[in-house]
Amino acid sequence: MPTDETTTMRERWAAGGMARLTCTAGGTPDFSRAAVLTEADRLARPLGQDANTLLTGRSGMTGRRGHGRVSVGGSTRLLQASDGWIGVTLSRSTDLDSLPALLETSESITEPWRTLADAVRLRTASEIVERAQLLGIPAAELGAVAAAPPRSARRWPRRQQPIDSNLLVVDLSSMWAGPLCGQILAGLGATVVKVESPLRPDGTRAGDPDFFRWMNGLKLPYSADLYADGARLGRLLDVADVVIEASRPRALVQAGLDAHSRTDRPGRVWVRITGYGPSHPMRVAFGDDAAVAGALVGQSPDGPIFCGDAIADPLTGITAAHQVVESLNRGGGETIDVAMADVAATFAALPAVTAPPRPVELGEPCPPDLDAPQPLRDAEWVDRLVAARSEPTC
Protein backbone atom coordinates (compact mmCIF):
# COMPACT_ATOMS: atom_id res chain seq x y z
CA MET A 1 0.00 0.00 0.00
CA PRO A 2 1.52 3.40 -0.98
CA THR A 3 2.85 5.45 1.89
CA ASP A 4 0.77 8.54 1.05
CA GLU A 5 -2.43 6.46 0.92
CA THR A 6 -1.57 4.84 4.25
CA THR A 7 -0.96 8.25 5.79
CA THR A 8 -4.34 9.50 4.58
CA MET A 9 -6.10 6.46 6.04
CA ARG A 10 -4.42 6.94 9.41
CA GLU A 11 -5.24 10.64 9.46
CA ARG A 12 -8.92 10.04 8.70
CA TRP A 13 -9.09 7.23 11.27
CA ALA A 14 -7.69 9.61 13.89
CA ALA A 15 -9.52 12.80 12.91
CA GLY A 16 -12.94 11.17 12.61
CA GLY A 17 -12.90 9.61 16.07
CA MET A 18 -12.41 5.95 15.17
CA ALA A 19 -9.05 5.92 16.96
CA ARG A 20 -10.81 6.89 20.21
CA LEU A 21 -13.16 3.95 19.76
CA THR A 22 -10.42 1.45 18.86
CA CYS A 23 -7.93 1.66 21.69
CA THR A 24 -6.66 -0.14 24.75
CA ALA A 25 -8.29 0.28 28.14
CA GLY A 26 -5.56 2.81 28.85
CA GLY A 27 -6.42 4.84 25.76
CA THR A 28 -3.60 3.87 23.37
CA PRO A 29 -5.12 4.05 19.87
CA ASP A 30 -4.84 1.33 17.25
CA PHE A 31 -4.69 2.17 13.53
CA SER A 32 -4.53 -1.32 12.05
CA ARG A 33 -8.14 -1.19 10.78
CA ALA A 34 -7.95 2.27 9.21
CA ALA A 35 -8.66 0.80 5.75
CA VAL A 36 -12.14 -0.14 7.00
CA LEU A 37 -13.22 3.51 7.07
CA THR A 38 -11.90 4.08 3.55
CA GLU A 39 -13.78 1.08 2.15
CA ALA A 40 -16.95 1.96 4.05
CA ASP A 41 -16.79 5.45 2.59
CA ARG A 42 -16.47 3.99 -0.91
CA LEU A 43 -19.81 2.26 -0.39
CA ALA A 44 -21.49 5.09 1.51
CA ARG A 45 -20.63 8.11 -0.65
CA PRO A 46 -22.82 7.07 -3.64
CA LEU A 47 -25.66 6.64 -1.12
CA GLY A 48 -25.30 10.23 0.05
CA GLN A 49 -23.77 9.20 3.37
CA ASP A 50 -20.58 9.89 5.29
CA ALA A 51 -19.20 6.62 6.56
CA ASN A 52 -17.40 8.17 9.50
CA THR A 53 -20.65 9.63 10.84
CA LEU A 54 -22.40 6.28 10.43
CA LEU A 55 -19.61 4.42 12.26
CA THR A 56 -19.10 6.91 15.11
CA GLY A 57 -22.50 8.57 15.40
CA ARG A 58 -23.89 6.58 18.32
CA SER A 59 -20.78 7.10 20.42
CA GLY A 60 -20.84 10.76 19.40
CA MET A 61 -24.29 11.04 20.98
CA THR A 62 -23.38 9.24 24.17
CA GLY A 63 -19.79 10.39 24.64
CA ARG A 64 -18.58 6.81 25.07
CA ARG A 65 -15.03 5.73 24.22
CA GLY A 66 -13.17 2.53 23.52
CA HIS A 67 -12.13 0.35 26.46
CA GLY A 68 -9.95 -2.34 24.95
CA ARG A 69 -11.61 -5.69 25.50
CA VAL A 70 -14.83 -4.14 26.83
CA SER A 71 -17.07 -2.94 24.00
CA VAL A 72 -17.93 0.74 23.66
CA GLY A 73 -21.52 -0.05 24.62
CA GLY A 74 -20.34 -2.15 27.57
CA SER A 75 -22.43 -5.26 26.84
CA THR A 76 -19.81 -7.37 25.04
CA ARG A 77 -16.37 -8.52 26.15
CA LEU A 78 -13.41 -10.29 24.62
CA LEU A 79 -12.48 -13.19 26.86
CA GLN A 80 -9.49 -15.51 26.66
CA ALA A 81 -10.27 -19.22 26.53
CA SER A 82 -7.71 -21.98 26.96
CA ASP A 83 -6.97 -22.01 23.21
CA GLY A 84 -8.01 -18.59 21.88
CA TRP A 85 -10.35 -15.64 22.20
CA ILE A 86 -14.13 -15.34 22.18
CA GLY A 87 -16.60 -12.47 22.18
CA VAL A 88 -19.66 -12.77 24.44
CA THR A 89 -22.62 -10.39 24.68
CA LEU A 90 -24.75 -10.17 27.83
CA SER A 91 -27.07 -7.34 26.86
CA ARG A 92 -30.45 -8.91 27.71
CA SER A 93 -31.90 -10.18 30.94
CA THR A 94 -32.33 -13.58 29.27
CA ASP A 95 -28.57 -13.74 28.64
CA LEU A 96 -27.85 -13.23 32.34
CA ASP A 97 -30.57 -15.72 33.29
CA SER A 98 -28.92 -18.34 31.04
CA LEU A 99 -25.45 -17.83 32.48
CA PRO A 100 -25.73 -20.57 35.18
CA ALA A 101 -26.74 -23.04 32.47
CA LEU A 102 -23.82 -21.94 30.30
CA LEU A 103 -21.40 -22.51 33.17
CA GLU A 104 -23.23 -25.63 34.39
CA THR A 105 -23.68 -24.40 37.93
CA SER A 106 -26.61 -24.13 40.29
CA GLU A 107 -24.94 -21.45 42.37
CA SER A 108 -26.07 -17.84 42.31
CA ILE A 109 -23.87 -15.63 40.10
CA THR A 110 -23.36 -12.17 41.60
CA GLU A 111 -20.47 -11.03 39.38
CA PRO A 112 -21.39 -12.27 35.88
CA TRP A 113 -18.38 -11.05 33.92
CA ARG A 114 -15.78 -12.07 36.47
CA THR A 115 -17.36 -15.49 36.91
CA LEU A 116 -17.61 -15.99 33.14
CA ALA A 117 -14.01 -14.89 32.52
CA ASP A 118 -12.70 -17.28 35.16
CA ALA A 119 -14.67 -20.18 33.69
CA VAL A 120 -13.74 -19.43 30.08
CA ARG A 121 -10.01 -19.59 30.84
CA LEU A 122 -10.38 -23.27 31.72
CA ARG A 123 -12.33 -24.29 28.60
CA THR A 124 -11.83 -24.24 24.86
CA ALA A 125 -13.33 -21.46 22.79
CA SER A 126 -15.47 -23.84 20.76
CA GLU A 127 -16.83 -25.51 23.90
CA ILE A 128 -18.07 -22.20 25.34
CA VAL A 129 -19.42 -20.84 22.05
CA GLU A 130 -21.29 -24.00 21.09
CA ARG A 131 -23.02 -24.17 24.46
CA ALA A 132 -23.80 -20.44 24.35
CA GLN A 133 -25.43 -20.87 20.94
CA LEU A 134 -27.68 -23.63 22.27
CA LEU A 135 -28.80 -21.27 25.03
CA GLY A 136 -29.33 -18.30 22.71
CA ILE A 137 -26.45 -16.27 24.16
CA PRO A 138 -24.62 -14.26 21.48
CA ALA A 139 -21.04 -15.57 21.41
CA ALA A 140 -18.38 -16.13 18.78
CA GLU A 141 -14.88 -17.48 18.37
CA LEU A 142 -12.41 -14.92 17.10
CA GLY A 143 -12.06 -15.31 13.33
CA ALA A 144 -14.45 -18.26 13.04
CA VAL A 145 -16.13 -16.80 9.93
CA ALA A 146 -14.43 -16.24 6.57
CA ALA A 147 -15.11 -13.32 4.25
CA ALA A 148 -18.10 -13.85 1.97
CA PRO A 149 -20.21 -11.49 -0.15
CA PRO A 150 -23.99 -11.10 0.26
CA ARG A 151 -25.91 -13.78 -1.61
CA SER A 152 -28.62 -12.84 -4.09
CA ALA A 153 -31.12 -15.06 -5.89
CA ARG A 154 -33.69 -14.35 -8.57
CA ARG A 155 -37.22 -14.67 -7.21
CA TRP A 156 -39.48 -12.38 -9.26
CA PRO A 157 -39.43 -10.84 -12.75
CA ARG A 158 -37.17 -7.84 -13.23
CA ARG A 159 -38.55 -4.31 -13.61
CA GLN A 160 -36.63 -1.05 -13.70
CA GLN A 161 -37.75 1.51 -11.13
CA PRO A 162 -35.99 4.64 -9.90
CA ILE A 163 -35.34 5.42 -6.24
CA ASP A 164 -37.84 8.17 -5.57
CA SER A 165 -41.00 8.71 -3.53
CA ASN A 166 -42.83 6.10 -5.64
CA LEU A 167 -40.46 3.40 -4.40
CA LEU A 168 -42.18 1.81 -1.39
CA VAL A 169 -39.84 0.28 1.17
CA VAL A 170 -41.21 -1.74 4.10
CA ASP A 171 -38.79 -1.99 7.01
CA LEU A 172 -39.60 -4.92 9.31
CA SER A 173 -36.25 -4.75 11.08
CA SER A 174 -35.18 -3.36 14.43
CA MET A 175 -32.07 -2.26 16.33
CA TRP A 176 -29.30 -0.97 14.03
CA ALA A 177 -28.24 -2.72 10.79
CA GLY A 178 -31.66 -3.10 9.17
CA PRO A 179 -33.04 0.26 10.28
CA LEU A 180 -29.89 1.97 8.98
CA CYS A 181 -30.43 0.35 5.59
CA GLY A 182 -34.00 1.70 5.54
CA GLN A 183 -32.94 5.15 6.71
CA ILE A 184 -30.33 5.38 3.94
CA LEU A 185 -32.99 4.48 1.34
CA ALA A 186 -35.30 7.12 2.83
CA GLY A 187 -32.49 9.64 2.49
CA LEU A 188 -32.28 8.75 -1.21
CA GLY A 189 -35.93 9.71 -1.60
CA ALA A 190 -37.81 6.40 -1.15
CA THR A 191 -41.01 6.16 0.88
CA VAL A 192 -40.05 3.95 3.83
CA VAL A 193 -42.60 2.46 6.20
CA LYS A 194 -41.28 1.45 9.62
CA VAL A 195 -43.33 -1.51 10.87
CA GLU A 196 -43.25 -1.94 14.62
CA SER A 197 -45.21 -4.37 16.74
CA PRO A 198 -47.10 -2.78 19.65
CA LEU A 199 -46.36 -5.97 21.60
CA ARG A 200 -42.63 -5.93 20.89
CA PRO A 201 -41.36 -2.48 19.92
CA ASP A 202 -37.93 -1.85 18.47
CA GLY A 203 -35.33 -2.54 21.17
CA THR A 204 -33.60 0.78 20.60
CA ARG A 205 -36.64 2.56 22.05
CA ALA A 206 -35.39 1.46 25.46
CA GLY A 207 -32.19 3.44 24.98
CA ASP A 208 -31.27 6.91 23.76
CA PRO A 209 -34.30 8.39 21.92
CA ASP A 210 -31.95 10.34 19.67
CA PHE A 211 -30.47 7.08 18.39
CA PHE A 212 -33.92 5.71 17.53
CA ARG A 213 -34.72 8.95 15.74
CA TRP A 214 -31.43 8.83 13.83
CA MET A 215 -32.18 5.32 12.58
CA ASN A 216 -35.88 5.87 11.86
CA GLY A 217 -36.67 9.57 11.70
CA LEU A 218 -37.34 9.71 7.95
CA LYS A 219 -39.74 6.74 7.96
CA LEU A 220 -43.52 6.51 8.25
CA PRO A 221 -44.47 4.69 11.50
CA TYR A 222 -46.84 1.75 11.08
CA SER A 223 -48.03 -0.30 14.05
CA ALA A 224 -48.75 -3.94 13.19
CA ASP A 225 -48.14 -7.27 14.91
CA LEU A 226 -46.92 -10.23 12.84
CA TYR A 227 -49.74 -12.47 14.02
CA ALA A 228 -52.61 -10.28 15.20
CA ASP A 229 -52.35 -8.05 12.11
CA GLY A 230 -50.95 -10.60 9.69
CA ALA A 231 -53.51 -10.04 6.93
CA ARG A 232 -53.07 -6.27 6.95
CA LEU A 233 -49.30 -6.59 7.07
CA GLY A 234 -49.38 -9.14 4.25
CA ARG A 235 -51.20 -6.67 1.99
CA LEU A 236 -48.52 -4.09 2.72
CA LEU A 237 -45.73 -6.53 1.87
CA ASP A 238 -47.46 -7.56 -1.36
CA VAL A 239 -47.30 -4.02 -2.73
CA ALA A 240 -43.82 -3.20 -1.42
CA ASP A 241 -40.96 -2.66 -3.85
CA VAL A 242 -38.30 -3.30 -1.20
CA VAL A 243 -38.62 -5.28 2.04
CA ILE A 244 -36.03 -5.24 4.82
CA GLU A 245 -36.19 -7.95 7.47
CA ALA A 246 -33.81 -8.84 10.28
CA SER A 247 -35.81 -11.23 12.44
CA ARG A 248 -35.33 -14.94 12.83
CA PRO A 249 -36.66 -16.48 9.59
CA ARG A 250 -38.94 -18.89 11.42
CA ALA A 251 -41.01 -16.00 12.79
CA LEU A 252 -41.98 -14.69 9.35
CA VAL A 253 -42.50 -18.20 7.97
CA GLN A 254 -44.89 -19.08 10.80
CA ALA A 255 -46.80 -15.84 10.19
CA GLY A 256 -46.93 -16.49 6.44
CA LEU A 257 -45.06 -13.24 5.80
CA ASP A 258 -41.76 -14.48 4.40
CA ALA A 259 -40.56 -13.76 0.88
CA HIS A 260 -41.68 -17.14 -0.48
CA SER A 261 -45.23 -16.67 0.81
CA ARG A 262 -45.91 -13.32 -0.86
CA THR A 263 -47.48 -12.65 -4.22
CA ASP A 264 -45.19 -11.97 -7.15
CA ARG A 265 -44.22 -8.35 -7.69
CA PRO A 266 -41.90 -7.52 -10.59
CA GLY A 267 -38.73 -5.75 -9.52
CA ARG A 268 -39.15 -6.38 -5.79
CA VAL A 269 -35.99 -6.59 -3.69
CA TRP A 270 -36.22 -8.47 -0.39
CA VAL A 271 -33.16 -8.13 1.83
CA ARG A 272 -32.69 -10.47 4.78
CA ILE A 273 -30.19 -9.41 7.44
CA THR A 274 -29.05 -12.08 9.88
CA GLY A 275 -26.08 -12.73 12.11
CA TYR A 276 -24.65 -15.69 10.24
CA GLY A 277 -26.69 -16.21 7.08
CA PRO A 278 -29.36 -18.73 6.03
CA SER A 279 -27.16 -21.69 7.00
CA HIS A 280 -27.43 -20.65 10.66
CA PRO A 281 -30.93 -19.15 10.89
CA MET A 282 -31.32 -19.48 14.65
CA ARG A 283 -27.93 -18.16 15.71
CA VAL A 284 -28.14 -14.81 17.53
CA ALA A 285 -25.65 -12.01 16.93
CA PHE A 286 -25.11 -8.40 17.89
CA GLY A 287 -22.68 -5.95 16.33
CA ASP A 288 -19.67 -6.52 18.58
CA ASP A 289 -19.75 -10.32 18.81
CA ALA A 290 -20.43 -10.57 15.04
CA ALA A 291 -17.34 -8.44 14.48
CA VAL A 292 -15.33 -10.85 16.64
CA ALA A 293 -16.61 -13.78 14.57
CA GLY A 294 -15.31 -12.05 11.45
CA ALA A 295 -11.98 -11.14 13.12
CA LEU A 296 -12.75 -7.44 12.74
CA VAL A 297 -10.88 -6.44 15.89
CA GLY A 298 -8.05 -4.08 16.72
CA GLN A 299 -4.60 -5.03 17.87
CA SER A 300 -2.64 -4.41 21.05
CA PRO A 301 0.53 -5.90 22.56
CA ASP A 302 -1.67 -7.96 24.90
CA GLY A 303 -4.05 -9.31 22.28
CA PRO A 304 -7.21 -8.29 20.41
CA ILE A 305 -9.33 -5.26 21.32
CA PHE A 306 -12.69 -4.10 20.04
CA CYS A 307 -12.78 -2.14 16.82
CA GLY A 308 -15.19 0.80 16.80
CA ASP A 309 -18.69 0.73 18.27
CA ALA A 310 -20.64 -2.45 17.39
CA ILE A 311 -18.98 -2.00 14.02
CA ALA A 312 -20.64 -4.96 12.28
CA ASP A 313 -24.01 -3.19 12.65
CA PRO A 314 -23.33 0.02 10.69
CA LEU A 315 -21.12 -1.80 8.18
CA THR A 316 -23.94 -4.26 7.53
CA GLY A 317 -26.48 -1.44 7.18
CA ILE A 318 -24.26 0.31 4.63
CA THR A 319 -23.60 -2.95 2.78
CA ALA A 320 -27.29 -3.88 2.69
CA ALA A 321 -28.31 -0.47 1.34
CA HIS A 322 -25.57 -0.70 -1.29
CA GLN A 323 -26.83 -4.15 -2.30
CA VAL A 324 -30.44 -2.92 -2.59
CA VAL A 325 -29.42 -0.03 -4.84
CA GLU A 326 -27.27 -2.32 -7.00
CA SER A 327 -30.17 -4.77 -7.30
CA LEU A 328 -32.65 -2.04 -8.24
CA ASN A 329 -30.23 -0.80 -10.89
CA ARG A 330 -30.30 -4.22 -12.56
CA GLY A 331 -34.08 -4.52 -12.32
CA GLY A 332 -34.51 -6.16 -8.90
CA GLY A 333 -36.63 -9.27 -8.59
CA GLU A 334 -34.23 -10.69 -6.02
CA THR A 335 -33.81 -11.85 -2.46
CA ILE A 336 -30.52 -10.78 -0.87
CA ASP A 337 -29.02 -12.38 2.23
CA VAL A 338 -26.61 -10.19 4.19
CA ALA A 339 -24.88 -11.78 7.19
CA MET A 340 -23.28 -9.50 9.77
CA ALA A 341 -20.38 -11.86 10.49
CA ASP A 342 -19.67 -12.22 6.75
CA VAL A 343 -19.63 -8.44 6.35
CA ALA A 344 -17.26 -8.09 9.30
CA ALA A 345 -14.94 -10.75 7.87
CA THR A 346 -14.96 -9.01 4.48
CA PHE A 347 -13.83 -5.74 6.02
CA ALA A 348 -11.33 -7.56 8.25
CA ALA A 349 -9.69 -8.98 5.11
CA LEU A 350 -8.59 -5.48 4.05
CA PRO A 351 -4.82 -4.87 4.41
CA ALA A 352 -3.74 -3.85 7.90
CA VAL A 353 -2.41 -0.32 8.35
CA THR A 354 0.68 0.40 10.40
CA ALA A 355 0.74 2.87 13.27
CA PRO A 356 1.90 6.43 12.52
CA PRO A 357 5.59 7.03 13.29
CA ARG A 358 4.73 9.79 15.78
CA PRO A 359 1.67 10.77 17.83
CA VAL A 360 -1.27 12.29 15.94
CA GLU A 361 -4.12 14.41 17.21
CA LEU A 362 -7.21 12.31 17.85
CA GLY A 363 -10.58 13.69 16.86
CA GLU A 364 -13.91 13.04 18.53
CA PRO A 365 -16.66 10.64 17.36
CA CYS A 366 -19.09 12.57 15.20
CA PRO A 367 -22.68 13.06 16.47
CA PRO A 368 -25.17 12.95 13.58
CA ASP A 369 -27.39 15.80 12.44
CA LEU A 370 -30.88 15.13 13.84
CA ASP A 371 -32.56 18.17 12.28
CA ALA A 372 -33.99 16.35 9.25
CA PRO A 373 -37.74 16.97 8.71
CA GLN A 374 -40.05 14.36 10.17
CA PRO A 375 -42.69 12.63 7.99
CA LEU A 376 -46.21 13.98 8.46
CA ARG A 377 -48.07 10.96 7.10
CA ASP A 378 -49.48 8.25 9.35
CA ALA A 379 -50.66 4.64 9.31
CA GLU A 380 -54.02 5.60 7.78
CA TRP A 381 -52.20 7.18 4.84
CA VAL A 382 -50.15 3.97 4.46
CA ASP A 383 -53.36 1.89 4.38
CA ARG A 384 -54.74 4.13 1.64
CA LEU A 385 -51.50 3.72 -0.29
CA VAL A 386 -51.76 -0.06 0.01
CA ALA A 387 -55.36 0.04 -1.23
CA ALA A 388 -54.41 2.18 -4.20
CA ARG A 389 -51.49 -0.08 -5.11
CA SER A 390 -53.66 -3.18 -4.77
CA GLU A 391 -56.15 -2.03 -7.40
CA PRO A 392 -55.79 -3.81 -10.73
CA THR A 393 -54.25 -1.75 -13.53
CA CYS A 394 -55.30 -1.78 -17.16
Side-chain angles (χ1 to χ4, degrees), residues 168-173 193-198 220-245 247 251-259 261-263 268 270 379 382-383 386-387 390:
L168 178 60
V169 179
V170 175
D171 182 5
L172 300 174
S173 67
V193 176
K194 164 76 172 179
V195 176
E196 200 171 0
S197 171
L220 307 179
Y222 193 77
S223 180
D225 181 71
L226 288 183
Y227 300 101
D229 305 301
R232 183 164 63 100
L233 189 51
R235 290 192 293 271
L236 173 61
L237 294 176
D238 283 341
V239 300
D241 300 305
V242 177
V243 177
I244 304 166
E245 61 155 288
S247 57
L252 291 182
V253 171
Q254 290 176 338
L257 298 172
D258 61 306
S261 301
R262 306 324 310 158
T263 60
R268 176 188 289 142
W270 193 298
V382 175
D383 286 332
V386 172
S390 301

Side-chain angles (χ1 to χ4, degrees), residues 116-133:
L116 180 58
D118 290 343
V120 167
R121 289 192 193 96
L122 304 177
R123 307 185 191 188
T124 65
S126 61
E127 179 185 357
I128 289 290
V129 170
E130 288 172 8
R131 189 166 180 83
Q133 291 174 25

